[in-house]
Amino acid sequence: MVIVPKHASQPRRPLVEHPPGKIAAATPVAHARTNAELEQLLAERTIERDDVARDEALAELARTNAELEHRLAERTIERDDVARDEARAELARTNAELKQRLAERTIERDDVARDEALAELARTNAELKQRLAERTIERDDVARDEALAELARTNAELKQRLAQRTIERDDVARDDALTELARTNAELKQRLAERTIERDDVARDDALAELARTNAELKQRLAERTIERDDVARDDALTELARTNAELKQRLAERTIERDDVARDDALAELARTNAELKQRLAERTIERDDAARDDALTELARTNAELKQRLAERTIERDDVARHDALAELSRTNKAEEQLRLHAGELEALNSELESFSYSVSHDLRAPVRAVLGYTRAIADDYGTLLDEEGRRLLSVVEGEASRMGDLIDDLLAFSRLGRQPMANILVNMTSLAREVTAEQILASEGRSLIDIADLPAVRGDRVLLRQVWVNLISNAVKYSSKSAEPQVHVWATREETRTVYNVRDNGVGFNMAYAGRLFGVFQRLHRSDEFPGTGVGLAIVMRIVQRHGGTVWADARLGEGATFSFALPTGGEE
Amino acid sequence: MSDIDDVEVLLVEDSRHDAELMMRALAKCDVNSKLHWVQDGVDALEFIRCTGAYDGRSFDQRPKLVLLDLKMPRLNGLDVMRELKSDERTKTIPIVVMTSSNETRDIRESYQLGANGYVTKPIQSADLAAAIAHIAAYWLRINQVP
Amino acid sequence: MTDEFQNVDLLLVEDNEHDAEMTMRALTKAHFLNRVHWVRDGVEALEYVRCTGAYIDRDPQQVLKLMLLDLKMPRLGGIEVLRELKTDPKTIGIPIVVMTSSNQDRDVTESYNLGVNGYVTKPVQVASFMEAVAQIGMYWLLTNQAPTR
């Protein structure tokens, strides 16, 4: 968001002008000849420049004319009834032949294929009709012959396809085909016996072989189908096995099994059940292709069983004095640690409540008198100011000013002390909108003199309320310390690093001497006098505290008279 | 007792200085509301319930607003609130806590007991004047009471 | 992250589009930079507060400074919303000001009995309406302190 541009755009530089009179002069006669040539060329341009092309164009034109004349003359199109009739007759004959074959069932029974054939036929018909209609066939004897040839070829193709049954795609159709084949076989056999058709032993043997082959293929596919195609299921089984083992081991370790007979029995029962289940699944393994893996699994299973049974039986855990001793020692150690924690927690608790009651006192008891001083001095100024001379009014305003500072200090101290005590939220914070929100308020407060520019900022995990305070302090500082510049500017941007995001606020104000930078973030530490710039010196301490609570760091860089850049880095991770 | 008739604002504040500053600020507002000041919680309850020193008061004359400090001797602000908000006859009187504290705990407890509003007394006199002005403008001019 | 209903200070619960627009304009004119979210009935209002339904992504840590609540609304009215929120210790602290056309004593009494923080009858005149909204904003958004977390 950029506000109040300060400079009008710079006037454009004038274009460089060519110095006049620099073109070399040729002789006037040479000029004239070139021009005439050029003029002539231009004149010729409307005519065909390339005689060859023009001749070609003429020739093309003549040829097209001749062709059209010829066509008109011959009227081979609609006038040639004979050719058209011949074509039609041919077509009809082919139709009849194919129809007959359909009737004779030399085409396969699959309606789809047959429909395809019919469709193909119809399409061919349609196409031919169309071509007839378009007269592209009978116009050109060659084309017509081609068409007839095409027709014949299509017929032949269809015949061939019929013969080879390459149209057969559907299992049902294939089954039909098999059935057909079988039937044909039977028929052929019969014919062989009757010798009405079968002449070719080879053809008959082919048919039988085909049948056998198809059978074998189908058997294999059935056989394969019982094999588990899904590796996932097998992996699931192994995973399940491993998980159950791990679970049982853990339960042993936790001693919930051997202590509790019921649980142990349950565990054994569970184990047995799992074994049975897994055995069954293994047995069902028309799935397990990998004998090695299956054997491994069985072996592992057996081994685990044995181990677990043995451990249960031996109760190696609770009978083991060492282990028990360890357990007791562990227990007492934990107790001690707990005790310490309790003590520490108690101390912390005491400290915290001390701090809380301190803050509470401060907030109630310190603020009230300060409020009174401020209120009453204001009352005096309002109601009796006219009775005072200039010096008197000045003295009064000093009292007011110092009491006001005291009030600010108290409020800031309170805010600072509260920082350590409040729980921190942990949400994804949109830093861009937060910074812009804060900036809008600052602009309102600073009456729009400053140009504050916020770039897009990466989001970060943290406490929005606390981070807001960071922006308020940094941006209001930037505005404050650049307020005396002719053109106050504040820039906010961020840079992403591998494990953190660094947010920066730069101003072009008075800056500070880096030699004193170490004091910047101390409470009540200031590098400027309060009559130069108002402030309590707690703002940056608050910033540092908040950034630290977020696991980050804050630092500053500046030059006297040139401005300052305040940066804070927050760890990344956990954002989208 | 005319000074306790038609009272619109009951100020419950133990510090006379704070009370004076708040009353001055209120007087400067463009609001013509009669204010009565009591210095502790017991007096506040008697005033509202028209008992004790206030038994001549008419119960129907309920204040439009009670400004209630928290830290007071004898009976503190939260106890007063609890008493008033748990009584059917007085629970609908608007009570705005006005205290030095802006501790989260105090704020939360006040609202839990039914406070209508909560204002932290600012230190700066200009801020105090503004706060009183906003309080007066909203609670005495705009807000409706049953 | 949908920003639209996050970090909102004021929830406007109002079924009349015209009134809602006027309210938001009044706030803007009075230089309130607070984020305002507008819902059209009681069901949406409760969903917003409880971070359910369409507002399941809303951060429950976000705290409202004020809910301006109309009474007569479709689906679920203001009285019901008031009852729900003021009887739940988790939401009792949300400052709720009923802002409605009704100045019926019955409505006023019932609202206060349920624990409403304030009650304002919508002025008919535009200027008075804008003025009232500005004063509401001044007190509830600037002066008053709402409970946090």
Side-chain angles (χ1 to χ4, degrees), chain A residues 257-318:
Chain A
I257 297 173
E258 57 280 10
R259 297 262 167 87
D260 186 359
D261 284 338
V262 174
R264 186 190 58 190
D265 288 345
D266 280 355
L268 283 171
E270 166 78 2
L271 194 59
R273 191 194 65 73
T274 312
N275 283 349
E277 187 181 318
L278 290 167
K279 276 185 191 162
Q280 190 192 1
R281 286 164 86 175
L282 279 172
E284 282 174 358
R285 254 176 224 186
T286 47
I287 292 171
E288 195 72 75
R289 247 179 263 176
D290 189 356
D291 284 358
R294 184 186 57 189
D295 289 345
D296 280 355
L298 283 170
T299 311
E300 172 68 25
L301 187 62
R303 191 192 64 72
T304 312
N305 282 350
E307 187 182 320
L308 290 170
K309 278 185 188 161
Q310 191 191 2
R311 288 167 78 177
L312 277 172
E314 289 180 8
R315 295 193 201 181
T316 53
I317 296 167
E318 64 276 14

Side-chain angles (χ1 to χ4, degrees), chain A residues 365 367 371 376 383 418, chain B residues 20 24 71 100 102 124:
Chain A
D365 302 334
R367 291 170 97 233
R371 179 170 46 248
Y376 281 84
D383 296 354
R418 195 171 293 130
Chain B
E20 188 174 344
R24 276 179 68 95
K71 215 172 102 177
S100 278
N102 68 345
Q124 304 289 348

